[in-house]
Amino acid sequence: QKEVEQDPGPLSVPEGAIVSLNCTYSNSAFQYFMWYRQYSRKGPELLMYTYSSGNKEDGRFTAQVDKSSKYISLFIRDSQPSDSATYLCAMTRGGSNYKLTFGKGTLLTVNP
Amino acid sequence: NAGVTQTPKFQVLKTGQSMTLQCAQDMNHNSMYWYRQDPGMGLRLIYYSASEGTTDKGEVPNGYNVSRLNKREFSLRLESAAPSQTSVYFCASSYGHSKSTDTQYFGPGTRLTVL
């Protein structure tokens, strides 16, 4: 079993839709959870991060972590064509371990 | 403020040739990383440097060597390129905090093709 599983999509939605992106993981030691956005032919950029379980909201984006289920989600409200990108989940144990474990990424297209 | 820069942007090599990918950051970060990204495989860590003077293997280090030249620069060398090393290579850097999350900032990538 891979440490982090992410449905690669592709996911295609109309503008204004609510988008749900998800990852599951197997390592219960993961404490910090991140979502990166990667536009075509660009490097990934950090979108949001959360520590342990709970929700975090930033504008149209909400990150959710459920450690009991080992499941994390990213919700995008009122999706825009500019949200079209690949979204990668990432996680780490934190502390002295800096290494991130990434999901494979989900390709999202928001159609005008 | 350039952030993380990588050179070259594109490269085509023949099997057996060698080359060095360069990475530099201007954010005074302690930690630096090299990843490769392949379709269907996601981002995989090749090598990382937690601080100046140290390097460690990641998930897929075979066929690569690295040098942390100074705090700013971290290079990745392919001694004898193979077609399996065709990929997009990303360099990243972070502060390297011992506590809390440690955001990694990525460069624009180098697209390498080995024929």
Side-chain angles (χ1 to χ4, degrees), chain A residues 2 32 34 36 38 40-46 49 86 88 92 94-96 98-100 102-105, chain B residues 10 31 33 35 37 40-43 45 48 50 90 96-104 106-108 111:
Chain A
K2 291 279 187 185
Y32 296 92
M34 285 145 250
Y36 280 81
Q38 185 177 20
S40 180
R41 295 184 172 266
K42 301 288 186 185
E45 57 179 345
L46 182 68
Y49 81 88
T86 296
L88 302 125
T92 179
S96 60
Y98 311 132
K99 289 185 286 186
L100 292 178
F102 284 87
K104 293 180 180 180
Chain B
F10 303 93
S31 301
Y33 314 80
Y35 293 89
Q37 187 174 39
M41 301 296 291
L43 278 161
L45 184 66
Y48 70 102
F90 288 102
H97 291 154
S98 59
K99 297 181 181 179
S100 79
T101 188
D102 187 37
T103 301
Q104 291 188 19
F106 284 80
R111 292 182 176 274

Side-chain angles (χ1 to χ4, degrees), chain A residues 95-99, chain B residues 25 28-34 45 47-57 66 68 71 74 92-98 102 104:
Chain A
S96 60
N97 185 315
Y98 311 132
K99 289 185 286 186
Chain B
Q25 52 89 10
N28 200 33
H29 285 168
N30 294 305
S31 301
M32 298 185 73
Y33 314 80
W34 276 105
L45 184 66
Y47 269 94
Y48 70 102
S49 171
S51 61
E52 187 179 356
T54 68
T55 60
D56 283 288
K57 295 178 180 179
V66 290
R68 184 75 183 265
K71 191 171 184 178
F74 189 38
S93 69
S94 69
Y95 281 110
H97 291 154
S98 59
D102 187 37
Q104 291 188 19

Side-chain angles (χ1 to χ4, degrees), chain A residues 67-107:
Chain A
K67 289 192 71 181
S68 63
S69 302
K70 297 190 179 68
Y71 188 87
I72 70 170
S73 301
L74 178 71
F75 297 96
I76 307 174
R77 290 185 300 280
D78 187 25
S79 56
Q80 302 295 309
S82 58
D83 296 328
S84 297
T86 296
Y87 289 80
L88 302 125
C89 64
M91 43 201 81
T92 179
R93 288 182 283 170
S96 60
N97 185 315
Y98 311 132
K99 289 185 286 186
L100 292 178
T101 301
F102 284 87
K104 293 180 180 180
T106 299
L107 177 61

